[in-house]
């Protein structure tokens, strides 16, 4: 399972700059149907594929913000969010503070 999840993470990371990256695209790259991807990912992580994709993006955003080399808006686009306000909303829900506060 950890190797499989690593493969999923690599595909998501490789597609950060593609804001149109979808669950269907992930399923295709994993050579699974959408429902089989959902079943397997939910079993391994407890999350639906779309939520897992968002989580991977947010974790990468947190790492980039801590490095302090990029502005919040830059990080937002770097990890595949197309809207800074949606990014801030998701980030705050995940980490309990705004991206700017997290960056410190």
């Amino acid at each position: 399972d950890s190797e499989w999840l690593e493969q999923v993470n690599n595909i998501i990371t490789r597609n950060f700059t593609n804001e149109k990256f979808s669950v269907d695209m992930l399923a295709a790259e994993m050579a699974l149907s959408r429902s089989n991807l959902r079943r397997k990912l939910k079993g391994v992580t407890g999350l639906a594929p779309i939520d897992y994709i968002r989580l991977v993006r947010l974790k990468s955003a947190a790492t980039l913000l801590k490095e302090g080399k990029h502005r919040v808006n830059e990080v937002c686009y770097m990890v595949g969010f197309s809207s800074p306000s949606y990014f801030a909303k998701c980030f705050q829900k995940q980490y309990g503070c705004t991206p700017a506060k997290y960056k410190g």
Side-chain angles (χ1 to χ4, degrees), residues 1-101:
D1 282 351
S2 63
E3 273 182 32
W4 184 84
L5 200 55
E6 182 77 26
Q7 189 179 359
V8 169
N9 288 343
N10 289 338
I11 292 168
I12 295 169
T13 305
R14 199 171 59 236
N15 284 283
F16 271 169
T17 54
N18 179 3
E19 58 190 47
K20 292 185 178 16
F21 184 69
S22 66
V23 173
D24 289 329
M25 293 166 86
L26 177 59
E29 286 212 39
M30 291 298 294
L32 293 168
S33 69
R34 184 183 173 109
S35 58
N36 280 340
L37 173 70
R38 180 180 173 78
R39 194 175 304 113
K40 174 104 174 152
L41 199 56
K42 189 96 168 154
V44 173
T45 67
L47 295 170
I50 193 69
D51 295 329
Y52 188 73
I53 291 170
R54 187 179 314 110
L55 178 65
V56 171
R57 287 179 163 166
L58 289 171
K59 282 182 176 180
S60 293
T63 302
L64 289 167
L65 289 169
K66 276 295 178 201
E67 287 174 2
K69 297 177 185 170
H70 306 282
R71 295 192 327 263
V72 172
N73 278 4
E74 291 173 325
V75 170
C76 162
Y77 297 116
M78 288 168 74
V79 298
F81 283 86
S82 57
S83 160
S85 60
Y86 180 66
F87 168 69
K89 180 180 158 193
C90 291
F91 193 94
Q92 183 149 11
K93 186 177 178 188
Q94 181 67 36
Y95 291 101
C97 65
T98 64
K101 239 185 201 158

